Amino acid sequence: MPITLVNPVGLPEIDAYRQVSVATGSKLVFVAGQVAWDADGVTIGEGDLAAQVERCYLNVSTALAEVGASFDDVAKLTVYVVDWTPDKMPLLMEGITRAATTLGVTPTPPASLLGVATLDVPEHLVEIEATAVID
């Protein structure tokens, strides 16, 4: 496995992610921002942040699998949430937990969470992009 996740002493331990990842693989994988679309381009979970987060994680997993990678290979996630406020954190975590259960993984690479005004279409509440490293 080319990714080692670390929580350095002196930084807070966050349940949802680790503070640092060390990548030792030889190929970089960049996954475009994934939204809550199914394979036909239909938005899943319209108006439901948890459902959309779950679908985004599932879509990231699908993209990774296509090139022989998985969440174990992810070095960094970036999460964009429309009109982010801290009170949305439980819904975000619910979606991550549901996706993790479905995928049988614990997706905890370093992550950045950014609040944005809007995404590509008004129905999308969240977009998630990933950078992975594989051998």
Side-chain angles (χ1 to χ4, degrees), residues 76-125:
K76 177 78 168 65
L77 290 173
T78 304
V79 180
Y80 303 91
V81 182
V82 173
D83 297 326
W84 175 257
T85 56
D87 63 310
K88 293 180 181 177
M89 184 62 79
L91 294 172
L92 179 78
M93 295 308 298
E94 178 184 337
I96 293 170
T97 299
R98 289 177 3 198
T101 300
T102 299
L103 297 169
V105 300
T106 305
T108 58
S112 294
L113 172 62
L114 302 167
V116 296
T118 189
L119 291 169
D120 58 334
V121 296
E123 297 82 28
H124 291 156
L125 304 176

Side-chain angles (χ1 to χ4, degrees), residues 19-46:
Q19 296 284 1
V20 176
S21 67
V22 179
T24 57
S26 58
K27 295 180 185 175
L28 293 176
V29 178
F30 300 94
V31 178
Q34 296 298 303
V35 293
W37 276 333
D38 67 9
D40 296 319
V42 175
T43 299
I44 302 300
E46 192 168 332

